[in-house]
């Protein structure tokens, strides 16, 4: 396997890699799941609150539509050797498009999301094994980082929409990726150990020379907590064997 066709798993960059094809397959599964959930939407239902404060389900789905198209555009332009901003007009235009899209009824919203997912599928299917290091404008990254971003956005916001898929359904590989990608959320002065109770996994963040805060729970719940979402089960959080509330985390990287 060429290095350009592989995506490193957290803490395993020297010995294990996650093939890009595996990520694309996981994205395909996630997109199929979302498409299967869309027919259950109603006009009243899309106006109900999502998991994100101040956003309805329609806001989340409108955002998913937009980010699917934005990252698909990154892929298409990168394959031409060109760089382009993810959103014409930047973040203000992105915010305006979400608000405008959120007023649509369930049928129109569902059609738009399905069309965006089809565009995403076509764009990412065109990326070949030697293309993953091509640069993109999104965060000055590569097609590799943009693919992983789409995976995160798809899975996390499908759960945020509260339409039938929750963080407890996130795949193991995604959870490990999130625990790596979101490590900047852990304050530098917070020694932290995350220990999975259903997986042979433990990860330490921060200084190893001082007592750490230990947070234990199922792998999906650890990933949900680090991503700012509500765990399905309460997490066990301790410092020096004393139960404490989970620590505050920093903003998303």
């Amino acid at each position: 396997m060429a290095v350009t066709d592989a995506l490193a798993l957290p803490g395993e960059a020297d010995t294990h890699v996650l093939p890009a094809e595996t990520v694309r397959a996981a994205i395909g599964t996630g997109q199929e799941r979302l498409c299967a959930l869309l027919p259950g939407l109603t006009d009243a239902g899309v106006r109900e609150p999502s998991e994100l404060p101040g956003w309805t389900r329609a806001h989340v789905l409108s955002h998913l539509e937009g980010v699917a198209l934005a990252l698909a555009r990154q892929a298409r332009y990168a394959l031409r050797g060109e760089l382009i901003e993810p959103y014409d007009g930047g973040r203000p235009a992105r915010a305006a498009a979400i608000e405008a899209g959120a007023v649509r009824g369930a049928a129109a919203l569902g059609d738009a999301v399905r069309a965006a997912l089809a565009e995403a599928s076509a764009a990412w299917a065109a990326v070949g094994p030697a293309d993953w290091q091509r640069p993109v404008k999104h965060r000055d990254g590569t097609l590799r980082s943009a693919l992983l971003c789409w995976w995160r956005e798809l899975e996390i916001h499908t759960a945020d929409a509260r339409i039938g898929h929750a963080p407890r359904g996130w795949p193991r590989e995604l959870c490990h990726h999130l625990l790596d990608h979101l490590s900047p959320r852990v304050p530098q002065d917070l020694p932290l150990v995350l220990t999975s109770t259903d997986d042979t996994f433990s990860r330490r963040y921060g200084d190893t020379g001082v007592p750490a805060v230990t947070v234990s729970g199922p792998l999906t719940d650890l990933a949900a907590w680090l991503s700012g979402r509500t765990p399905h089960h309460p997490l066990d959080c301790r410092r020096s064997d004393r139960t404490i509330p989970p620590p505050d985390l920093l903003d998303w990287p």
Side-chain angles (χ1 to χ4, degrees):
M1 179 192 306
V3 174
T4 52
D5 193 29
L7 307 174
L9 277 175
E12 301 177 333
D14 294 334
T15 58
H16 296 89
V17 289
L18 184 63
E21 202 55 46
T22 299
V23 178
R24 278 197 288 206
I27 289 171
T29 299
Q31 292 191 179
E32 290 175 3
R33 180 195 305 115
L34 177 55
C35 284
L37 293 170
L38 292 174
L41 295 174
T42 65
D43 288 341
V46 297
R47 306 292 164 232
E48 293 179 0
S50 72
E51 291 290 336
L52 299 180
W55 271 16
T56 64
R57 288 170 173 157
H59 284 93
V60 174
L61 293 171
S62 182
H63 172 53
L64 260 174
E65 173 198 1
V67 75
L69 294 174
L71 291 173
R73 184 164 86 152
Q74 294 293 285
R76 292 205 183 279
Y77 273 79
L79 292 179
R80 303 174 196 167
E82 301 178 42
L83 299 177
I84 191 171
E85 292 290 343
Y87 297 90
D88 288 329
R91 294 190 69 84
R94 167 186 173 272
I98 291 170
E99 291 295 335
V103 303
R104 291 172 292 187
L109 191 59
D111 288 344
V113 172
R114 277 186 287 269
L117 295 179
E119 170 65 16
S121 293
W124 289 110
V127 181
D131 294 321
W132 295 110
Q133 292 299 329
R134 287 177 179 266
V136 297
K137 191 72 172 177
H138 180 262
R139 297 194 173 191
D140 295 322
T142 63
L143 280 175
R144 176 186 302 197
S145 65
L147 180 74
L148 287 168
C149 179
W150 173 226
W151 192 23
R152 295 190 299 269
E153 293 281 330
L154 173 66
E155 289 284 354
I156 290 173
H157 289 316
T158 299
D160 287 338
R162 297 178 59 213
I163 57 176
H165 180 65
R168 65 180 179 274
W170 289 347
R172 172 185 176 275
E173 293 84 1
L174 175 72
C175 292
H176 282 294
H177 170 63
L178 290 174
L179 294 180
D180 180 57
H181 178 74
L182 297 174
S183 60
R185 297 202 70 203
V186 181
Q188 292 185 354
D189 61 352
L190 172 66
L192 177 69
V193 174
L194 299 183
T195 301
S196 171
T197 56
D198 61 353
D199 192 73
T200 56
F201 171 80
S202 182
R203 173 164 182 159
R204 183 170 186 126
Y205 305 80
D207 190 351
T208 60
V210 294
V213 173
T214 300
V215 180
S216 302
L219 181 63
T220 53
D221 286 339
L222 295 175
W225 174 70
L226 199 62
S227 64
R229 272 64 185 178
T230 303
H232 184 59
H233 302 93
L235 295 170
D236 182 66
C237 184
R238 299 173 184 268
R239 189 199 295 268
S240 300
D241 292 328
R242 295 183 59 186
T243 300
I244 62 172
D248 293 330
L249 300 172
L250 303 177
D251 292 336
W252 266 64

